[in-house]
Amino acid sequence: MLFDTHAHLNDSQFNEDLEEVIERAQTEGVTHMVIVGFDRLTIERAMDLVEHYDFMYACVGWHPVDAIDMTDEDLTWIEDLASHPKVVAIGEMGLDYHWDKSPKDIQQEVFRRQIRLAKKVKLPIVIHNREATADIVEILKEEGAEEVGGIMHCFSGSPEVAKECVKMNFYISLGGPVTFKNAKKPKEVAEEIPLERLLIETDCPYLAPHPYRGKRNEPGYVRLVAEQIAEIKGLTFEEVAQATTQNAKKLFGIK
């Protein structure tokens, strides 16, 4: 029983073989997935998927790289979608200082507006962070994001930052990088953060775990993430699979 808490099966890379990818995931024991939409096109596709597959749920929001493109109408649309029974979170949102498409001040404003929306609709948030940790933590605190909590998606920071986020009612989600031989920080996080605050994800089609690094990622590979965490923590695969699935269900309000 595995829960891939962050998948982009709405990506065009899956257009040709979506059914086969889903079948492989189910063979590997994946019983739940959250499909993340982060702009008009991917949100629409995510909603189509969750309407069609009963084991898929949606997270809808606006990506920081594209913050400059978000309109008031987009935010209203996301608010309307939040009432859909299969929408379980708002995001992915946050800050991305690696790419320069959207100025930092616009990213921060769009981030704040989505946190406020999530508090209004009472849904957890999913955080995208690239080279912006200090500003993200500050904004989460200033906006009272602890009220709804959420996920630090594909967390790549230090155990110290992870613990600070846990104190703010966030789960730490680990993906493919925790399996990389040279990935020191994710392994330290897996070791130091209690299992009851950990989640697993693929972020497919990106960040495929070892031994598929550099290839297209898919939900079935989340098993490799769970196996790596189990090895680091000295637990069984079943213990990690069960705990992370229960954590996700609790956060998303899934029975």
Side-chain angles (χ1 to χ4, degrees):
M1 188 165 77
L2 293 161
F3 197 135
D4 184 356
T5 60
H6 199 110
H8 296 285
L9 289 183
N10 46 350
D11 189 280
S12 60
Q13 291 190 47
F14 297 108
N15 285 355
E16 300 300 319
D17 62 345
L18 180 63
E19 286 299 328
E20 291 91 336
V21 169
I22 291 170
E23 287 176 14
R24 284 195 292 271
Q26 292 177 318
T27 298
E28 292 295 339
V30 179
T31 55
H32 301 76
M33 306 175 196
V34 169
I35 310 302
V36 180
F38 53 79
D39 60 16
R40 276 270 167 185
L41 185 64
T42 58
I43 290 172
E44 288 172 354
R45 180 71 175 126
M47 297 308 298
D48 287 344
L49 287 170
V50 303
E51 292 275 7
H52 189 70
Y53 298 98
D54 60 1
F55 52 89
M56 292 185 189
Y57 299 84
C59 171
V60 296
W62 212 264
H63 199 286
V65 169
D66 301 315
I68 196 168
D69 299 325
M70 193 190 81
T71 65
D72 291 344
E73 289 76 16
D74 292 324
L75 197 65
T76 300
W77 179 51
I78 290 168
E79 181 175 350
D80 291 342
L81 289 174
S83 63
H84 190 288
K86 299 288 294 282
V87 171
V88 294
I90 304 297
E92 61 188 279
M93 65 176 80
L95 302 173
D96 191 315
Y97 292 168
H98 181 77
W99 305 106
D100 61 1
K101 177 184 174 183
S102 296
K104 290 182 180 180
D105 59 334
I106 293 176
Q107 288 193 41
Q108 292 173 11
E109 179 59 26
V110 167
F111 185 20
R112 290 179 186 276
R113 292 180 74 187
Q114 290 186 87
I115 295 171
R116 293 167 192 164
L117 170 60
K119 290 168 67 176
K120 181 179 178 181
V121 299
K122 295 180 170 54
L123 286 177
I125 59 179
V126 175
I127 303 300
H128 171 100
N129 170 21
R130 192 164 186 190
E131 301 171 16
T133 300
D135 285 353
I136 279 184
V137 170
E138 181 180 6
I139 288 172
L140 290 175
K141 289 179 177 177
E142 289 177 356
E143 294 294 334
E146 180 178 354
E147 182 181 319
V148 290
I151 302 174
M152 305 306 291
H153 143 64
C154 206
F155 188 81
S156 60
S158 67
E160 291 71 30
V161 172
K163 290 171 185 175
E164 191 172 2
C165 294
V166 167
K167 288 179 182 176
M168 289 191 290
N169 194 26
F170 281 80
Y171 288 82
I172 307 301
S173 186
L174 297 173
V178 78
T179 70
F180 300 166
K181 292 177 181 176
N182 60 348
K184 183 182 176 187
K185 283 184 179 178
K187 294 181 190 297
E188 290 175 346
V189 167
E191 183 176 9
E192 295 189 33
I193 298 303
L195 185 57
E196 60 265 23
R197 300 305 296 188
L198 288 179
L199 298 172
I200 56 176
E201 63 170 270
T202 58
D203 197 22
C204 65
Y206 317 107
L207 294 173
H210 177 78
Y212 302 104
R213 188 174 184 177
K215 298 180 181 178
R216 185 189 69 173
N217 200 0
E218 56 182 69
Y221 296 167
V222 79
R223 169 177 281 271
L224 298 168
V225 177
E227 288 174 348
Q228 181 66 66
I229 294 171
E231 182 178 329
I232 291 169
K233 285 191 165 296
L235 300 170
T236 65
F237 162 77
E238 289 76 16
E239 287 172 320
V240 172
Q242 182 176 18
T244 53
T245 295
Q246 290 305 315
N247 293 345
K249 285 183 172 182
K250 179 180 177 182
L251 174 67
F252 295 132
I254 296 171
K255 294 181 180 177

